[in-house]
Amino acid sequence: MNNFFETLTGGIMKRIVFLLLSLHFALYTLHLSSGERVIFFEGVRQLGRGGAGIAYSDDPTTFFYNPALIAIRKDLLFNIFNLRIGISNDVLKTYEFYDENKDELENFDELSSERQQELTNEIIDRITHYRNRITLNVPDFCFVPKSGFINIGFGLFAGGDFGLKFKKGILVPKIQFWGSADAIAMIPVSMKIPTPILPGKIAASITPKLVYRASIDDELTVLEFENYDFDLQPGKGIGFDLSFIWELNDRLRIGGVLHDFTRTKISYEEVKDGTTTVKSAYSSYINPDLSIGIAYKPKRIYYWIGKSVSFPQFITLLVDVRNIFYKKEPFYEATFFKKLHLGAEADLKILKLRGGFYQGYPSFGLGLDLWFLEIDYAFWGRELGRYPGQIPEWNHMISIRLSF
């Protein structure tokens, strides 16, 4: 029996070590059970300020937050290259565990059966609680000319967001992995709308987009994982987004975006291994979803009736409400805070300071603007369950951007 245990655990441990060593290849994406996940590449700037950016974004991810903003830009936006890399805090915890037990993991066969059992239990007790996630976005190429009455931009974006989680099994631990890789070409057409009655400037945009997606979602035992063939199933489709921005004055903006308002159809191809069909062809849909936001630069803050203090003009306050139409999380009290994004940004020219609350969890961000080179960092929490406090996930992301 001991020999059986040692043989079994030895084989399992070799595979677990293999997975820990190759963890940087594991990526995770949010799994939406109602239709396809909306393709929405979040910016590091916005993540640092609680994820808010519907009414105030000035980087390539403007194409996702609100393409109508390109109509009120004063300057050219030409982004040559942008690399964004993000990891969940659980990746760091998993690596910390591996680093602490590196020698024993790599020489597992030489340990006593008692220590093998202890280490196996440790892995099950600690690692199975971690959801390891790594995100990569590149190149974020986009071009938007100086604004006119009609403004047309072009953007090419690609990103992978996959993940891995160890799970307890009856005899052998299991591995759950899921995710997708997305590529999208977007051509926002934005136009200023005359406002003889309303104050300020209003612009609206329609954004045709060509979507390419490859996805995977599976669960295996650690004994099956080493010889598993990762058969990504590719799909493609054409969709449209609608958006608007209302700039009432130089201090207040209101915006909104309706993603996939035509209900984008994604057609997935058949996957074959020789003549055998591994995965059948099928179609799925990205359902329409609405997000709205406000950006405000207050002149004064009132703390009592008739009492106020001046407010620094380099600080912008932001509020977004996102995923309003998501059917699995209807808009009511328990889920409201998961849809809410609150943030603030202090623009000190070269240095940017950001903070806020992403789905009820605090966020923090820093940015360095060195003319054509911009470096940004964000730390934030997100909710993987239905309401804040259920399944929190903490993340880090950094971006390096070359633009003019």
Side-chain angles (χ1 to χ4, degrees):
M1 184 69 180
N2 286 337
N3 289 335
F4 170 77
F5 170 77
E6 291 176 9
T7 301
L8 179 61
T9 56
I12 293 171
M13 287 305 302
K14 286 179 182 177
R15 288 160 176 80
I16 291 177
V17 171
F18 166 77
L19 291 169
L20 291 173
L21 287 169
S22 60
L23 185 60
H24 57 283
F25 294 112
L27 310 162
Y28 159 75
T29 187
L30 294 178
H31 181 73
L32 302 183
S33 56
S34 178
E36 287 281 329
R37 175 179 59 88
V38 172
I39 298 177
F40 192 95
F41 291 160
E42 294 185 286
V44 180
R45 294 179 177 184
Q46 293 84 349
L47 289 169
R49 59 191 191 216
I54 300 298
Y56 179 69
S57 290
D58 59 355
D59 63 357
T61 57
T62 300
F63 282 49
F64 297 92
Y65 284 93
N66 190 344
L69 285 165
I70 70 173
I72 60 173
R73 283 186 61 88
K74 297 178 181 178
D75 302 318
L76 167 78
L77 174 59
F78 182 28
N79 196 81
I80 302 171
F81 177 82
N82 188 15
L83 173 64
R84 296 199 307 277
I85 301 175
I87 62 172
S88 67
N89 210 47
D90 284 352
V91 172
L92 301 179
K93 291 180 180 179
T94 303
Y95 177 78
E96 181 183 6
F97 175 83
Y98 170 75
D99 192 51
E100 290 173 355
N101 301 277
K102 181 178 179 180
D103 292 338
E104 290 187 316
L105 288 169
E106 292 180 352
N107 300 286
F108 187 80
D109 292 341
E110 299 175 12
L111 302 178
S112 66
S113 58
E114 291 79 8
R115 180 53 188 154
Q116 287 180 350
Q117 180 65 60
E118 289 175 3
L119 191 56
T120 302
N121 291 338
E122 238 182 294
I123 290 172
I124 292 172
D125 291 340
R126 287 179 58 178
I127 302 300
T128 54
H129 295 289
Y130 300 154
R131 300 177 69 92
N132 299 288
R133 169 180 181 166
I134 301 175
T135 305
L136 175 66
N137 293 87
V138 67
D140 282 8
F141 172 84
C142 72
F143 175 78
V144 177
K146 291 184 178 180
S147 63
F149 180 71
I150 296 179
N151 227 26
I152 301 175
F154 173 76
L156 182 61
F157 305 86
D161 200 13
F162 296 62
L164 175 150
K165 186 179 188 300
F166 290 94
K167 300 176 71 175
K168 296 179 181 179
I170 299 175
L171 291 175
V172 180
K174 294 182 178 181
I175 301 156
Q176 180 187 11
F177 52 96
W178 60 100
S180 66
D182 296 319
I184 181 169
M186 308 174 76
I187 306 177
V189 180
S190 186
M191 181 178 69
K192 293 177 181 176
I193 300 174
T195 56
I197 300 176
L198 298 174
K201 296 180 289 186
I202 297 178
S205 175
I206 182 169
T207 305
K209 56 188 183 182
L210 175 63
V211 175
Y212 181 88
R213 165 172 285 178
S215 61
I216 192 168
D217 190 344
D218 215 335
E219 182 176 296
L220 303 169
T221 68
V222 294
L223 298 175
E224 298 170 321
F225 191 86
E226 191 172 349
N227 298 316
Y228 179 76
D229 290 327
F230 289 88
D231 294 316
L232 291 173
Q233 188 166 20
K236 57 186 176 181
I238 297 175
F240 298 87
D241 298 337
L242 289 177
S243 61
F244 82 92
I245 187 69
W246 180 14
E247 189 176 62
L248 286 82
N249 49 52
D250 60 354
R251 295 184 294 111
L252 178 62
R253 291 178 179 178
I254 300 172
V257 57
L258 180 62
H259 289 108
D260 303 286
F261 75 92
T262 56
R263 196 166 181 253
T264 303
K265 180 181 178 180
I266 306 293
S267 299
Y268 286 96
E269 301 174 8
E270 183 182 46
V271 178
K272 286 190 173 184
D273 182 6
T275 58
T276 305
T277 299
V278 178
K279 295 180 180 178
S280 300
Y282 73 100
S283 296
S284 188
Y285 292 87
I286 303 176
N287 293 321
D289 208 350
L290 175 67
S291 297
I292 57 175
I294 298 174
Y296 182 52
K297 291 185 176 182
K299 284 186 176 180
R300 306 189 68 82
I301 294 292
Y302 288 85
Y303 60 91
W304 192 250
I305 300 175
K307 302 289 184 179
S308 65
V309 294
S310 60
F311 199 76
Q313 291 301 288
F314 55 80
I315 294 180
T316 304
L317 306 179
L318 304 106
V319 179
D320 282 5
V321 181
R322 301 219 314 245
N323 306 122
I324 295 174
F325 290 166
Y326 182 39
K327 293 181 180 180
K328 289 294 182 179
E329 295 173 359
F331 199 89
Y332 62 92
E333 182 181 358
T335 62
F336 172 73
F337 286 99
K338 186 177 178 182
K339 302 176 184 294
L340 185 64
H341 301 263
L342 305 173
E345 179 175 274
D347 187 348
L348 305 175
K349 302 301 181 182
I350 294 178
L351 179 65
K352 321 286 185 181
L353 301 176
R354 307 178 182 106
F357 290 90
Y358 188 113
Q359 299 179 334
Y361 299 104
S363 68
F364 169 77
L366 287 171
L368 282 176
D369 188 347
L370 306 174
W371 187 47
F372 65 90
L373 175 64
E374 297 181 29
I375 302 172
D376 292 283
Y377 165 79
F379 172 75
W380 79 102
R382 86 166 82 232
E383 178 55 54
L384 301 181
R386 288 176 59 86
Y387 51 84
Q390 188 178 13
I391 310 174
E393 179 193 73
W394 298 97
N395 301 274
H396 306 263
M397 183 173 281
I398 189 169
S399 73
I400 301 173
R401 174 185 169 203
L402 295 175
S403 65
F404 294 95

